[in-house]
Structures are given as C-alpha cells and as structure tokens.
Amino acid sequence: MNLGEHVTGLLHRSELPTRLESLDWDIGDSVYAQVKNVRDNGNVDLGWSLRRAESEFRGNFVHDPEGTLDPEDLDDSTETAKLQSKPESESESETDDRAMADASVDSRADSVQEAHASEAIVKTEQEQEQGPEPDVERKRAQSSSADLKRAEIEALEENVGNVVRLEGIVTDARQTSGPTVFSLQDETGTVDCAAFEGAGVRAYPGVDAGDYVCIDGEVRERRGELQIETEQLVVLEDEAAATVSDRMEDAIMAEAAVDTVEPLVPDPAVEAVLDTVREAATAIRRAVIESRPIVVRHEATVDGYLAGAAIERAVLPLIKNEQTSADAVYHHFDRRPLDGAYDMDDATNDVTSLLAAHDRHQQKHPLFVFAATGSTRDSLDGFELLRIYDADAIVVDGETGDAAVADAVRTIANPELAGSDAETSSTAIATAIAAHVNTDVRDDLGHLPAASFWENTPDVYADLADERGYNAEETKNLREAIALEAYYQSYDGKRELVSDLLFADDTSGLREKVSEQFREKLAREVETAEENLDRRSEGGVAFAVLDTNSFTHRFDFPSTELLLDEVHRRNRDGTFVTLGVGEDEITIRSTTPVDISDVVQQLEDAVPNAGVTARDGHGRIEFVVGERKRVLEAAIDAIANAV
C-alpha cells in the first residue's frame, strides 16, 4: 500500500474485512487505514479501520493525500456512511462475508502469526526488493520509539492484546517458513517472540542466542501458548546489557537456591552427603531456570531407572512452569539409560547431539546428571570428552566414587560415601536430591528407595513405602516390573511407561501383570542355568561357574547380570562365589566382598598378555578371547586368595 512518496506500508490479509479475492480495490483507490507502527527503516505497519465511525476508530483522521477532506468536515454520521457504503456491484454473499469478518476480527487477530507462515503479505514491489538495514538491530536501547514500561514474562497472561516491552537474553533463534522466532528469557520465564521480515526471511540477522535484547511487541495467544508479535527488537550493549545480566543472575540465584530439608527417613549414608545433595539440587534448578536442557544418564538397572525417574518426577513440573511451550518437557529434559559405564561411545553420542542442537537451534549445552553410574574409572574417558565441550556433570552414585572421577569431571556435586561405612542405593540419594529440587513431589517419591533393594531392604525405607501404600508384595511387583521393562528397548527412557509403573494408580494391575512375566521368564532361565553349573572348591571357597555362552539365551530376558544374581541368591551358603563366564568376560558374585582391582592385578601377573581390564564397577572383568581358559583358572585362584 503506497502512502505517499517513498513511503510504503504493510497490511496483512488477516486484517482485511473479507477474503482478498473478494475485494474490489483497484490501484489508485483511496482507503482509510490505521498506522500501528513506524519501523526504523521508514516503513509502516497498517491495521484495518474501514467500516468504523470516528468514535469507534482506534486512531484519528490525520491526512487526506488528495487534500479533498478536512477533519473538521467529518462527523460520525458522515464517516459512517462513507466507510460503510457498499458498491452497487457488491453481491449479497460479499455482504455476508463482510458481516462475518466483522464478527470474527478479534479471532483473526489472534491467528495472525499462523497466517504469517502460510499466507502471502500484501506488499509493494519496492518493499520486496528492500532488505533489512544491517545495523538497525544494534542500536542502543534508548533509541526505542515506544514509551513503554518493562514487563515480566510471568505477567504476560494479564497483558494479552497489549503491547509490552521485555528485556532479557535470547536463548534460541530459529527460522520458520514464515517468521523468525526468538526465544527470550528474563528473570521470570521464557517466551517465544515472532519477528516477521518476509516469508522465510531472517528477521534481525545480527541477533543470535546469547544476545541481551529489548523487545517491544503485542502479546498474542497462539494454539494455547503465549507469543510476542515483535514490533521492535534492539540489542543491548555495555551498561544496558550488564544491568539485565545482573538482574537475571540475582533472580536466578535467589530462585535456584534451596535450603537443606530433612531426608525422607534417617539414613546415615544420605545424611553424610546432604551438603552435596543441596548443591546438586541447586544446579538442577538453575539449569531449568536458564532454559538449559537436562540429560539424565543412568544404568539400565532397577536402581538406575528408579534414581533417574525420581529426578525426572521433580524436574518436569518445574520445566512446565518455566516454559510457555507445551512440548518444552521433551526439548528440555531427556533420560537416557546406559549399558554399564559411561564410555567413549556414550560420550561421543552425547557430544554429537549437543553440538547439533547448538548449531541448529542455538540450544545451550545441557547439564548431565549421572545416576547409579559414572563413579568409577571406566567413565573417565567419556567425562574428559564432555569436559572439553564445557558440559557440567553431576554424579549421583550410591557406591563410593573414585577421586580421579571427581577431578576429571567438572563435577558440581559428587555424592560420594567416602568416610562413611554406611551403604545405600543410588535411588535413596536421587530421591533426596529430587525432594530438594521440588518439595511438592516429596510424597510421590517415598516408595522408590524400598524398590531399589533386591534384598535386605532397610526397615526405614520398607516402612516408608508401606506408609505410601506399597506393602512388601506391591514393592516387589514394582521392582520386578521395572527390571523387565529396563531390559527391553534398553537405550530408551520409556518415560510414559515408567511413569505409569511407578506413580499411576494401578487400577488395571499393570505392575502385577508385568512382574508376573518377569518371574516366568526368569524361572525358565534359572532352571536351565542350575542344571549346567560347574561346581568346584578352591582354598575353602565354594564356586559355581556358569558358561553364559552355552547355557543362556543371550538375546532374551533376563540379562546375564540378573540371571547370575538369582542363581547366586538360590545357591549361596557360607563363603560362596558365582562366576558367569562369557566369551571375553567374567562376572563375579560373592557372599564376601571382593577387591576387583586386586584380582585384576593378580590376573595381569598370571596371564600378562590377556588384556585383563575391570569394567563398570559391577564385578565384571574383560579379557581377550584367546586367553579365556587361562584367565578363568587364574581368576578362581585370585578370588580364593582375596576372600
């Protein structure tokens, strides 16, 4: 729309009173429009104002380019008749179109952003050829033309339909087929801001993730989510940027900080690490506030799944409250099970994912939380790779951590049990962290620690589970159901299924049905295994050796670890050791503690060319296939000496 010499204006088709093809406008016709905004490049944004008398007009008559009208000559009746007059050629159907358009003008306004992505813009050829001025977005904040007070993102629901000013940091900038969408975060939350330069054309190309900006725009609701229709965006620099940064930092620290709360039950092991539990919870809360993804890596065991699910249960509601996007819980939280230690293969996958997310979506590097894994030297190489890319990690492991791990991983909190004789599960520590992260879910977590112990469940956790409605039988069903589902699709977190098993009212008997499958499958495998145990004695120690290559279904449930656990429980008497011997590994279960590092040292001396290595801190030793027989005999001697 030409408004005079060298001045053009944009009028979106959603602002029209009827369908574009029904308009009878011709080049040269004079029309009335409302000027909604004047851009820094001189172009203006227009809004529909035909059909309205001056008393209903959202602006006032200012100028008639042909000089034929004087504002003093206009009154409501004259303007109403002039603006609402209908050409003789207009059909009844077109009249109906106009009436329908009048009734739905507000709903059309709410869908402007959707129309940006799918419909054309009424734009002159001159404007189409004109690109954005390269330095416009780098102007200082004080150059903003709108006289607005700063609003907070958390208060946007009260300002739908109003033009507001927001200040914060851009956390993401993505180009759609229509507008450019900037995710803006302030000290109270995050919201998407859509800026339109042209269909698929990058608006404000100099603005990217990490920039502190001031945005003026109208608050709209689109598909149930709040969004800002950006009218002006200015990058803040120097003192202006520092002011916003300091304000956000102070608010984030105040919101993220947690006070130490009482453990769910008296547990000396958890009480010994309450300070690091609080630090871990603060780091997790801060990641949520900063729109930083959280990735929970846990072992694909019952303890690992329960520990990871406890943290997930606490974090997801916080993400929902912090983010305006309905699917934010899928973009900002991920739980990825591990088959043992966190090795280079796992770390390479994580680094590849975080780099791709940053390059494609300007996503921040995630905070990694390791549950029931990561405290042994087997994870050092993987952690070193994360460290190169400045990815912070929290290690939550019920076993005593290796000091070298804490040094290698820029660990925010490593809840070791060093200095304490007490032992506990990773789930017990993870539930303590989760209760600090989100006190609202504290009561939801009480039954999880009891389910993490296969035997000798501490009375305090068994009693707590019973108080939460999970007696011994129900806790057993839950444990076995999780064990079965942890085996299948082991690299998938199975968020919804695990949530149903752990937290939903089990009216359909889901846990009981799945646990029944667990028992049936396990019983068949155990029966076969016990018939093929090689029993022997060495140095007064009873050994049961199972050839896991020959007498197990290696690619069906149960896993070798679960099978050996059950065989060991059924046969132990006194000092008893169960060995599962595969093609290139030995898995050890013993009624008496065995120092695996000492056993490995003896094996290296006895079979120096076997490439013997301890794996994942769960009683597993690996070696080269050609030395299998010699390693087995040397292992039996070494274990007999060790116990």
Side-chain angles (χ1 to χ4, degrees), residues 199-213:
V201 177
R202 178 65 148 86
Y204 303 100
V207 179
D208 215 331
D211 285 339
Y212 288 93
V213 300

Side-chain angles (χ1 to χ4, degrees), residues 128-145:
Q128 289 174 342
E129 294 174 354
Q130 180 178 354
E133 297 179 20
D135 294 325
V136 167
E137 64 272 12
R138 287 289 171 185
K139 291 186 177 181
R140 302 284 183 149
Q142 53 265 36
S143 68
S144 176
S145 60

